[in-house]
Amino acid sequence: MNIVKHIVVTIVSVFLILGIPFVTTDYFKALISDTPDVVTSASVVVDKPSGDYLVFINLDKHTDKENLSLWHDFFEGKDVSFIFEDIKCYVAKNDVNGLTMAQNFQSRLPENQMVISTEDGTLMISKAEYNKFDVIVMSREIADFYAADTLLENDNIDVITIKGEE
């Protein structure tokens, strides 16, 4: 019984010495959170894929006209100095090219400024119809497959058409 007691005391001691300081670090908080934060810039830029893409921006979540204009410039490939706003980008699970395009965008921003989340395409479009998203990136093929053109009629959604590399 003394050996079991000794092992338990040792494990608790190691956790107290190493675990508690680690849990209080920003590194640990970043591991358990999907909240974006601007800390460092991206180190590798992912190549822009070929094809046509749509970027849907929820205007309910982007009310600052200056930041919205910067996001438009950013998604259109123009040089943008710095955007003081974090975003969560949704991509359909079956949209491989859309995911690559979203990763291209993400790689051009400071680390963790854009969080990418994949979701079932039908559910994603359904949520978007009720403005329950931040930004959506879709390839034209997947947008046509899920009939995302219904989102074009929504006055609270900005749509940017992007041409990928040829």
Side-chain angles (χ1 to χ4, degrees), residues 7 12 16 46 64 68 99 111 153:
I7 291 172
V12 169
L16 290 174
V46 175
D64 182 340
L68 181 60
L99 180 59
E111 185 176 339
E153 300 164 5

Side-chain angles (χ1 to χ4, degrees), residues 55-104:
V55 177
F56 300 96
I57 301 175
N58 184 347
L59 297 178
D60 289 344
K61 295 200 177 201
H62 298 275
T63 56
D64 182 340
K65 297 291 184 197
E66 185 176 332
N67 276 338
L68 181 60
S69 174
L70 289 171
W71 282 120
H72 271 268
D73 290 347
F74 171 77
F75 287 122
E76 291 169 355
K78 299 175 185 168
D79 284 335
V80 176
S81 60
F82 196 76
I83 304 172
F84 292 100
E85 188 175 53
D86 299 332
I87 60 172
K88 185 163 186 177
C89 177
Y90 294 94
V91 180
K93 284 183 181 177
N94 61 335
D95 192 357
V96 176
N97 291 331
L99 180 59
T100 303
M101 181 58 87
Q103 290 168 337
N104 169 267

Side-chain angles (χ1 to χ4, degrees), residues 127-151:
K127 285 181 178 181
E129 289 173 348
Y130 294 98
N131 298 323
K132 303 291 183 196
F133 74 101
D134 191 0
V135 171
I136 294 174
V137 174
M138 298 183 90
S139 65
R140 173 61 77 180
E141 294 81 17
I142 295 296
D144 290 344
F145 179 78
Y146 287 113
D149 56 337
T150 60
L151 301 179

